[in-house]
C-alpha cells in the first residue's frame, strides 16, 4: 500500500467551561465535545522524500505550520522512518472557526500513517502522540461524544448522541483561539454550564434539555466583540432551533434542530445574511 484516504471530521462543543487559569498559563477546561459529519478528506501518498502539502482551499497553510506537517514529522522521528509523503487536504471544514479542522486533519494523518506504515499503534498510543501536536488532537482521534477535561486531553466517552440535526453558520470572522483565552476574564463570569445536567440529558436523549443547558464561557469574549454571533444565535432560536451556541472559540454558531423542515427553513433564512451556512448531523 502506498496511499490512503482518511476522513477528518469536525467537532462542536455542547458546552465549554473554564475552571481556572493554571500557573503555566493554560486554562483548565471542562467541555462536552461532539463530532459532526462535516469532514475534510485527506489523501496521503508516499513520495521519495520530504513532504508536499496541497489543498483545494488557498487559505490552508502548505508549510510547516500546517498541523499535518507536525503529524508526519513526529511519526518519522518517533519510529525512525525515512519516507516522504504528499498530502492533499480537501478542506470542507471552515478554517479558524472553532470546529477543530486543523486538529482533526492532524489526527487523520496520524491514523493514516499508522496504517500506511503498518505501525500497529493502539488508539491510546496515537492519542499520546496527538497531544504533542495539540490539546484537541487526542479527542479528534477518538471522536464521538466525549467529556474533555484538563487542557482538553483527559477524555471520558459519553453515551452516543448521533444523528441530531445541526446547522452551522460561520460569519466569516477568523478567530484566534489563543487571543480569546487571553481576553477571558474569569472574575466577570455570571453563568457557567451545568455539565452534569447536560451529560444526563445526552444519556436520556433529551434534545430540549441539551439545547436549554448549553453554555460556552468564551462567548463572553467574542459576543461583545462580534455582535453578529448573538444575532445568529437569535435567528437560530427564532427559527425553531432547540438550542444554539458558539462552538469552541468561535466564530461558528450552531443550532440543534428536531425537525427537518425547520432546519431547512432556518438555513434558507440565514443564507440571506451569512455566507457559510452548512447543514450537518452529529455522528
Ligand atoms: P480549534 O477549534 O481546535 O481551536 P479551529 O477550528 O478554531 O481550531 P483551525 O481550522 O484548526 O481552527 O485553524 C486554526 C489555524 O491553524 C489556522 O489559522 C491555520 O493557519 C492553522 N492550521 C494549521 N493546520 C491547519 C489545517 N490542516 N487546516 C486548517 N488550518 C490549519
Amino acid at each position: 500500500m502506498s496511499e490512503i484516504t482518511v476522513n477528518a471530521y469536525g467537532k462542536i462543543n455542547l458546552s465549554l467551561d473554564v475552571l481556572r487559569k493554571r500557573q503555566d498559563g493554560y486554562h483548565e477546561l471542562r467541555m462536552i465535545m461532539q463530532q459532526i459529519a462535516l469532514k475534510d478528506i485527506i489523501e496521503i501518498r508516499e513520495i521519495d522524500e520530504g513532504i508536499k502539502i496541497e489543498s483545494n482551499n488557498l487559505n490552508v497553510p502548505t508549510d510547516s505550520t500546517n498541523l499535518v506537517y507536525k503529524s508526519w514529522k513526529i511519526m518519522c522521528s518517533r519510529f525512525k522512518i525515512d519516507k516522504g509523503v504528499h498530502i492533499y487536504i480537501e478542506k470542507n471544514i471552515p478554517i479558524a472557526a472553532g470546529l477543530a479542522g486543523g486538529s482533526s486533519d492532524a489526527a487523520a494523518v496520524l491514523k493514516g500513517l499508522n496504517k500506511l506504515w503498518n505501525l500497529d499503534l493502539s488508539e491510546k498510543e496515537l492519542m499520546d502522540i496527538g497531544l504533542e501536536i495539540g490539546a484537541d488532537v487526542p479527542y479528534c482521534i477518538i471522536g464521538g461524544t466525549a467529556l474533555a477535561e484538563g487542557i482538553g486531553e483527559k477524555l471520558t466517552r459519553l453515551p452516543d448522541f448521533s444523528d441530531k440535526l445541526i446547522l452551522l453558520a460561520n460569519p466569516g470572522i477568523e478567530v484566534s483561539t489563543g487571543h480569546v483565552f487571553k481576553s477571558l476574564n474569569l472574575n466577570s463570569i455570571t453563568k457557567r454550564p451545568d455539565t452534569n445536567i447536560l451529560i444526563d440529558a445526552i444519556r436520556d436523549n433529551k434534545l430540549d434539555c441539551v439545547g436549554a443547558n448549553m453554555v460556552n464561557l468564551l462567548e463572553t469574549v467574542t459576543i461583545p466583540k462580534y455582535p453578529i454571533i448573538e444575532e445568529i444565535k437569535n435567528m437560530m432560536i427564532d427559527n425553531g432551533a432547540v438550542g444554539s451556541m458558539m462552538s469552541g472559540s468561535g466564530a461558528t454558531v450552531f443550532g440543534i434542530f428536531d425537525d427537518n423542515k425547520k432546519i431547512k427553513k432556518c438555513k434558507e433564512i440565514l443564507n440571506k445574511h451569512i455566507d457559510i451556512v452548512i447543514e450537518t448531523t452529529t455522528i
Side-chain angles (χ1 to χ4, degrees):
M1 183 168 57
S2 65
E3 57 183 90
I4 190 165
T5 300
V6 204
N7 291 331
Y9 296 97
K11 65 92 183 137
I12 53 174
N13 295 85
L14 298 177
S15 70
L16 195 159
D17 199 5
V18 183
L19 305 183
R20 66 184 180 97
K21 191 169 178 185
R22 305 191 322 193
Q23 294 276 337
D24 60 9
Y26 283 102
H27 287 84
E28 192 157 321
L29 308 171
R30 197 158 191 249
M31 325 182 264
I32 298 179
M33 319 286 278
Q34 175 62 56
Q35 205 169 31
I36 52 175
L38 176 67
K39 62 175 193 261
D40 294 342
I41 299 170
I42 315 272
E43 292 165 18
I44 311 171
R45 181 165 48 84
E46 278 184 2
I47 55 175
D48 287 342
E49 55 176 15
I51 180 167
K52 186 160 173 49
I53 301 168
E54 286 184 309
S55 176
N56 60 327
N57 184 327
L58 294 176
N59 295 319
V60 171
T62 53
D63 59 9
S64 61
T65 62
N66 195 308
L67 296 184
V68 303
Y69 179 99
K70 296 191 169 70
S71 294
W72 167 75
K73 193 86 192 159
I74 207 167
M75 292 290 264
C76 286
S77 64
R78 183 72 47 97
F79 302 103
K80 315 240 175 320
I81 291 168
D82 184 23
K83 284 182 179 165
V85 285
H86 178 276
I87 298 180
Y88 179 76
I89 303 174
E90 183 188 314
K91 181 55 75 178
N92 300 309
I93 303 172
I95 300 171
L99 301 172
S103 303
S104 190
D105 292 354
V109 169
L110 291 180
K111 286 189 194 176
L113 292 178
N114 185 33
K115 284 211 178 119
L116 200 60
W117 293 342
N118 299 312
L119 295 170
D120 213 18
L121 300 172
S122 66
E123 189 171 79
K124 171 79 174 65
E125 286 170 304
L126 287 174
M127 287 163 76
D128 289 343
I129 297 171
L131 184 56
E132 294 176 37
I133 300 168
D136 279 350
V137 180
Y139 164 71
C140 292
I141 302 245
I142 67 165
T145 312
L147 176 68
E149 295 172 290
I151 60 166
E153 86 293 8
K154 288 184 196 150
L155 296 163
T156 312
R157 269 204 187 284
L158 294 176
D160 176 76
F161 194 62
S162 56
D163 298 326
K164 309 294 181 267
L165 305 175
I166 303 291
L167 192 61
L168 305 171
N170 182 283
I173 310 158
E174 284 204 4
V175 177
S176 144
T177 304
H179 180 78
V180 171
F181 274 102
K182 267 194 208 103
S183 310
L184 179 69
N185 178 1
L186 281 176
N187 296 323
S188 70
I189 299 299
T190 51
K191 193 177 173 201
R192 315 190 82 104
D194 187 330
T195 310
N196 295 338
I197 286 191
L198 270 164
I199 292 173
D200 288 346
I202 288 168
R203 191 197 47 228
D204 300 338
N205 207 15
K206 287 186 179 154
L207 211 55
D208 285 349
C209 188
V210 172
N213 285 285
M214 300 189 305
V215 179
N216 179 348
L217 253 62
L218 301 183
E219 287 182 351
T220 60
V221 176
T222 53
I223 288 180
K225 199 162 174 206
Y226 309 112
I228 182 78
I229 293 172
E230 179 91 72
E231 288 162 26
I232 299 174
K233 285 177 64 175
N234 292 337
M235 280 192 256
M236 293 267 196
I237 297 294
D238 292 347
N239 289 286
V242 299
S244 179
M245 195 175 80
M246 183 182 82
S247 181
S249 54
T252 305
V253 174
F254 67 90
I256 306 188
F257 289 78
D258 60 3
D259 181 293
N260 225 338
K261 274 195 203 122
K262 284 185 195 159
I263 193 169
K264 296 240 172 333
K265 187 86 211 306
C266 187
K267 182 174 186 226
E268 212 179 288
I269 292 167
L270 278 168
N271 259 332
K272 291 183 186 144
H273 309 271
I274 310 289
D275 283 345
I276 307 171
V277 186
I278 302 167
E279 214 184 313
T280 186
T281 60
T282 58
I283 57 172

